């Protein structure tokens, strides 16, 4: 049992959060999830605040989730993407952000292909900066919503066997999940081709195996990642057919999993590549539950970073 107070202006990564702070986000999100079940799905927590969604890389889930989260908290929202901004005319990220701050923006949510872009802004702006995914570095709200979904389904995180499969090396989702899950006491196994899952990840406290059957045996949670073609500099395996045969969650492999193993995926899914299409839609799949929970988690993050005062008693 611990009492925690939120002290962060920004959310750059899970790396900067303690276990107690992670639990505080999850507890706050649980309260906000109730708001989504009301006939009027809105609270005045961020009334008068302005949030900018600055997405310099494509997104479906994260961008729409942050926009809805801010609107449910009664904030004013501005959406800016690369193609419709002066970034295409050569304006620097810093100048774009300073101009947004000059409009009295309170929160900037940023997705960028460059690792470190959110930290760069956070160090230069008075506005809160929230990382919505930066290169292969971190995607903290994805890890928080994944943890929320695991805790909601399994009732705990500590002691669970969580297997993350696929393109670990180029995945910000994997990095944030590894940091979060090990902080909360889960046993994390990583698997995929050796070119995408190097043994160096053992230094993060994970088990690394390149044997898929070994990786899924005994897993309480299986989290599948897509191949990050946009971040790979060369082909790291012979072809997608070989990848599916060796590392995809096929029906035959699914039959070997624990009967209550959760199937997770951050999206976007490449059906028939990392996951069989029917498994993606089966009753053990929580992929759309993850999306629903993302909204509550992002409401919690915006609320806390904008100075929402809440102390919680937490235990995982
Ligand atoms: N999971 C995730 O980040 O999805 P988007 O790229 O659609 O935001």
């Amino acid at each position: 049992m611990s009492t925690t107070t939120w002290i962060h202006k920004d959310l750059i990564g899970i790396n900067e959060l303690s276990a107690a702070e992670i639990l505080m986000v999850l507890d706050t999100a649980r309260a906000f999830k109730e708001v989504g079940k009301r006939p009027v799905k809105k609270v005045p927590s961020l009334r008068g605040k302005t949030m900018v969604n600055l997405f310099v890389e494509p997104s479906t889930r994260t961008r729409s989730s942050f926009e809805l989260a801010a609107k449910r908290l009664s904030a004013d929202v501005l959406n800016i993407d690369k193609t419709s901004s002066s970034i295409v005319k050569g304006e620097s990220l810093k100048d774009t952000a300073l101009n947004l701050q000059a409009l009295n923006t309170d929160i900037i949510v940023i997705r960028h292909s460059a690792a470190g872009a959110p930290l760069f802004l956070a160090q230069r702006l008075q506005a809160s900066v929230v990382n919505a995914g930066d290169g292969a570095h971190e995607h903290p709200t994805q890890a928080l919503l994944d943890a929320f979904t695991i805790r909601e389904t399994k009732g705990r995180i500590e002691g669970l066997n969580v297997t993350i499969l696929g393109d670990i090396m180029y995945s910000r989702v994997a990095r944030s999940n590894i940091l979060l899950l090990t902080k909360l006491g889960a046993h994390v196994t990583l698997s995929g081709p050796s070119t995408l899952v190097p043994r160096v990840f053992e230094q993060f406290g994970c088990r690394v195996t390149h044997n898929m059957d070994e990786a899924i045996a005994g897993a309480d949670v299986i989290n599948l990642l897509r191949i990050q073609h946009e971040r790979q500099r060369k082909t790291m395996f012979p072809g997608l057919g070989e990848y599916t045969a060796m590392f995809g969650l096929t029906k035959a492999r699914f039959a070997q999993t624990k009967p209550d193993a959760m199937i997770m995926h951050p999206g976007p899914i490449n059906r028939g590549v990392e996951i069989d299409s029917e498994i993606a839609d089966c009753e053990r799949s929580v992929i759309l539950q993850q999306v629903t929970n993302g909204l509550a988690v992002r409401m919690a993050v915006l609320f806390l970073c904008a100075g929402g005062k809440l102390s919680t008693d937490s235990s995982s």
Side-chain angles (χ1 to χ4, degrees), residues 60-112:
T60 298
R61 282 147 289 271
T62 313
R63 178 184 159 142
S64 52
S65 183
F66 268 115
E67 180 176 350
L68 263 182
K71 286 178 172 170
R72 289 198 177 171
L73 293 167
S74 305
D76 296 316
V77 182
L78 190 63
N79 285 303
I80 298 180
D81 62 32
K82 184 178 175 178
T83 49
S84 61
S85 77
S86 288
I87 293 171
V88 290
K89 298 180 196 163
E91 185 171 68
S92 71
L93 177 64
K94 182 182 170 192
D95 281 330
T96 299
L98 285 173
N99 277 276
L100 294 174
Q101 183 164 266
L103 296 169
N104 293 324
T105 297
D106 299 288
I107 308 166
I108 296 181
V109 175
I110 178 169
R111 170 169 289 191
H112 203 286

Side-chain angles (χ1 to χ4, degrees), residues 55 58-63 111 132 139 142 172-173 266-268:
F55 276 64
S59 167
T60 298
R61 282 147 289 271
T62 313
R63 178 184 159 142
R111 170 169 289 191
H139 192 347
Q142 180 69 49
R172 55 197 177 207
V173 173

Side-chain angles (χ1 to χ4, degrees), residues 125-165:
L125 302 180
Q126 279 134 30
S128 292
V129 176
V130 178
N131 182 2
D134 60 332
H137 174 227
E138 279 225 40
H139 192 347
T141 56
Q142 180 69 49
L144 288 161
L145 75 88
D146 290 343
F148 185 97
T149 306
I150 294 170
R151 196 162 78 146
E152 181 175 67
T153 307
K154 296 284 185 189
R156 68 190 168 104
I157 290 171
E158 190 173 5
L160 290 180
N161 295 318
V162 181
T163 293
I164 307 175
L165 294 171

Side-chain angles (χ1 to χ4, degrees), residues 179-190:
L179 289 165
L180 187 153
L181 291 165
T182 51
K183 281 182 191 207
L184 294 193
H187 308 298
V188 180
T189 295
L190 308 176

